[in-house]
Amino acid sequence: MFNKTNHVLFTKYGRELHHSKISGFMQLNINLSGNHPYDSVYRSSSKVIVKLISGIVLMDVSMSKEMKDAKRFLIFRTIELNENTCFNFHCISDSASISVFSNGEIKTISLEKSISYKKIMPGFEIQEIIGCFYHIRNSNYELEEEQHDFWELNYVDNGSCTMIIEGEKVEIKQQEILIFAPGQTHSITTKINRKSCSYLTILFRSNLENNEKLDKKVINVNSIIHQTLNLFVNASARRSEYDDELMLCYLKEILIQLQENKDDMEYQTIQTPIQQRYEDELVNEILSYMEKHLCDSLLLSDICREFSISRSTLQILFKKNLNTAPKQYLSDMKLNKSRLMIKEGNRTISDIAIQMGFSSINYFSKKFKDRYGIAPSDYAKTIYN
């Protein structure tokens, strides 16, 4: 953020003029264009008045002829500089014009080294987010070696795994990130340490240059990066009008933070892992699928196949998020559906048992009584008698 000439720091060098009357005679009419460094500065033994005619201009000021400890201000109004103040300008618009007034001679002093202004411009861009995925892997998972022409960011949310990048094995633990650059061969496995793992993968195209800050570096995620990862995930889940733009911005912020990787950025234990959001979504999708196919003699193997997860992963998901086993939850859903079908009264008990996938009417009656404390035939009588 630029300090303007009405900032308290500017009082060391001059002051703003709030009246239009200008004393002294014009010494310079300076026309600026583009962003060019200067190799000399102006200085007068008398007070100097600087009036901005057009454009947007930054002014460097110092009491030293070498411009040591120079300060930079955005010219906000017409200003008066103190005697012997050294100054020069940077044009930050396409063009600008300045008039300089003084009763004394304005001298030009050469500098040993030119002074430039670095415009605020992007150093790299995220050109495309190809996809983002959340993986839950068991302790015997292995991805075959692959190579592609885009970037790949992997954030381990829970557990640990081994990522092999160009033949080098690297263990990635919880809340750590490893990035694969375009063209790098890589693979992922949990077989080496025999631990399960869940991780977020973001595939993207960028003109980001690979460098020593990212190349094959395992980076510990601090609270700031994690917060931005959460914002990225939230935007990817919503996908409303501007969420695609937000995802691009959040990903760029993550990459910048990873390259800064400041040691003084406090690391905090994450209380709300990204995994929970993805698990919530996955569990909701599974429950919707179960409800939709409940009358299709649905089996747990059907669910695992539909969502490309193992039976053990399904068990973990239900135990953690619903505090029950998937088989029990499916059985309860079927029994609840059966009870509603009995209420409708247009099917026999035997038909309902068969339709809901129970192996026999006796087994169905036993499960129904265990669940509701009454046999299905007796339950029907309480409704129709």
Side-chain angles (χ1 to χ4, degrees):
M1 183 180 295
F2 301 127
N3 287 327
K4 296 186 290 186
T5 49
N6 61 353
H7 196 279
V8 65
L9 291 176
F10 185 71
T11 56
K12 178 180 177 180
Y13 309 99
R15 64 189 180 98
E16 286 195 337
L17 298 178
H18 297 278
H19 54 80
S20 57
K21 184 178 179 180
I22 298 175
S23 59
F25 55 90
M26 187 171 70
Q27 295 277 350
L28 296 170
N29 190 13
I30 304 173
N31 294 312
L32 302 170
S33 62
N35 178 32
H36 303 289
Y38 60 78
D39 54 13
S40 62
V41 293
Y42 303 106
R43 185 175 182 236
S44 175
S45 58
S46 302
K47 289 188 176 183
V48 173
I49 293 175
V50 177
K51 182 177 181 180
L52 179 65
I53 306 301
S54 64
I56 304 174
V57 174
L58 289 173
M59 180 174 63
D60 292 344
V61 291
S62 176
M63 302 309 297
S64 164
K65 291 184 288 186
E66 295 81 20
M67 295 297 282
K68 293 179 179 178
D69 301 320
K71 301 297 181 184
R72 185 166 289 169
F73 298 91
L74 180 70
I75 299 180
F76 190 53
R77 293 189 177 93
T78 300
I79 57 174
E80 179 184 74
L81 292 175
N82 298 333
E83 298 91 339
N84 298 315
T85 300
C86 296
F87 62 95
N88 209 328
F89 310 97
H90 298 285
C91 176
I92 60 174
S93 54
D94 292 336
S95 61
S97 179
I98 299 170
S99 293
V100 181
F101 304 83
S102 178
N103 287 325
E105 180 185 4
I106 299 178
K107 295 181 179 180
T108 302
I109 303 173
S110 298
L111 298 172
E112 291 184 3
K113 186 178 179 180
S114 61
I115 297 177
S116 60
Y117 161 70
K118 186 178 180 181
K119 285 190 173 183
I120 301 175
M121 299 181 70
F124 69 94
E125 295 289 348
I126 305 296
Q127 297 153 343
E128 177 189 6
I129 295 176
I130 299 171
C132 53
F133 316 95
Y134 192 78
H135 313 274
I136 301 175
R137 307 301 189 190
N138 59 32
S139 59
N140 197 36
Y141 173 76
E142 185 171 26
L143 172 70
E144 292 185 6
E145 188 175 75
E146 63 179 7
Q147 183 188 70
H148 41 65
D149 63 352
F150 45 82
W151 293 83
E152 179 177 325
L153 181 151
N154 291 288
Y155 165 64
V156 174
D157 188 51
N158 192 35
S160 65
C161 64
T162 299
M163 298 189 181
I164 305 170
I165 177 168
E166 297 190 325
E168 182 179 342
K169 295 180 181 179
V170 183
E171 184 181 1
I172 312 299
K173 300 186 290 294
Q174 185 172 336
Q175 297 172 18
E176 291 182 342
I177 278 179
L178 181 65
I179 296 178
F180 302 138
Q184 289 182 332
T185 56
H186 57 272
S187 61
I188 300 173
T189 181
T190 59
K191 287 185 175 181
I192 295 176
N193 56 16
R194 296 294 181 181
K195 293 181 180 179
S196 60
C197 179
S198 57
Y199 60 96
L200 171 70
T201 296
I202 304 173
L203 308 177
F204 62 98
R205 298 189 190 277
S206 172
N207 59 358
L208 174 69
E209 293 184 1
N210 196 19
N211 54 62
E212 61 180 11
K213 295 179 180 178
L214 296 178
D215 189 25
K216 301 178 184 177
K217 291 292 180 64
V218 178
I219 305 172
N220 201 17
V221 170
N222 57 47
S223 58
I224 296 175
I225 297 174
H226 186 268
Q227 182 180 16
T228 313
L229 277 166
N230 270 329
L231 291 171
F232 177 92
V233 170
N234 291 340
S236 70
R238 291 191 308 263
R239 303 305 296 273
S240 57
E241 184 177 2
Y242 296 106
D243 281 325
D244 287 353
E245 296 291 336
L246 285 172
M247 288 172 67
L248 293 166
C249 293
Y250 293 143
L251 178 55
K252 184 171 183 178
E253 182 178 351
I254 291 166
L255 292 168
I256 292 171
Q257 295 286 356
L258 289 173
Q259 292 182 87
E260 287 189 342
N261 197 27
K262 294 180 179 178
D263 294 334
D264 60 346
M265 294 172 71
E266 182 182 359
Y267 176 79
Q268 299 176 5
T269 302
I270 309 304
Q271 300 299 326
T272 55
I274 293 174
Q275 180 184 9
Q276 190 58 55
R277 172 171 290 277
Y278 276 94
E279 286 186 5
D280 289 345
E281 293 176 359
L282 180 56
V283 169
N284 286 335
E285 289 178 10
I286 291 173
L287 295 183
S288 297
Y289 179 80
M290 290 168 68
E291 182 69 31
K292 183 178 179 180
H293 297 278
L294 203 56
C295 295
D296 299 339
S297 300
L298 183 65
L299 301 174
L300 294 185
S301 58
D302 299 325
I303 299 170
C304 294
R305 184 168 51 253
E306 174 68 20
F307 292 92
S308 301
I309 57 176
S310 66
R311 188 157 183 144
S312 60
T313 298
L314 185 65
Q315 295 279 358
I316 293 170
L317 279 172
F318 271 70
K319 185 63 177 176
K320 179 180 176 182
N321 294 278
L322 300 172
N323 198 31
T324 187
K327 185 176 181 180
Q328 182 62 50
Y329 196 94
L330 179 60
S331 176
D332 290 344
M333 288 183 72
K334 287 183 176 183
L335 290 170
N336 187 56
K337 181 69 174 179
S338 300
R339 186 178 59 160
L340 295 175
M341 293 168 72
I342 293 172
K343 281 185 178 181
E344 291 172 359
N346 52 12
R347 296 179 182 86
T348 65
I349 302 296
S350 180
D351 288 340
I352 293 172
I354 294 171
Q355 187 171 346
M356 298 310 299
F358 290 94
S359 56
S360 68
I361 188 171
N362 290 333
Y363 180 68
F364 169 62
S365 297
K366 179 180 183 305
K367 297 295 289 184
F368 193 97
K369 188 172 183 179
D370 289 345
R371 181 75 174 84
Y372 299 110
I374 187 173
S377 55
D378 294 334
Y379 178 71
K381 290 176 184 177
T382 63
I383 298 173
Y384 305 120
N385 293 335

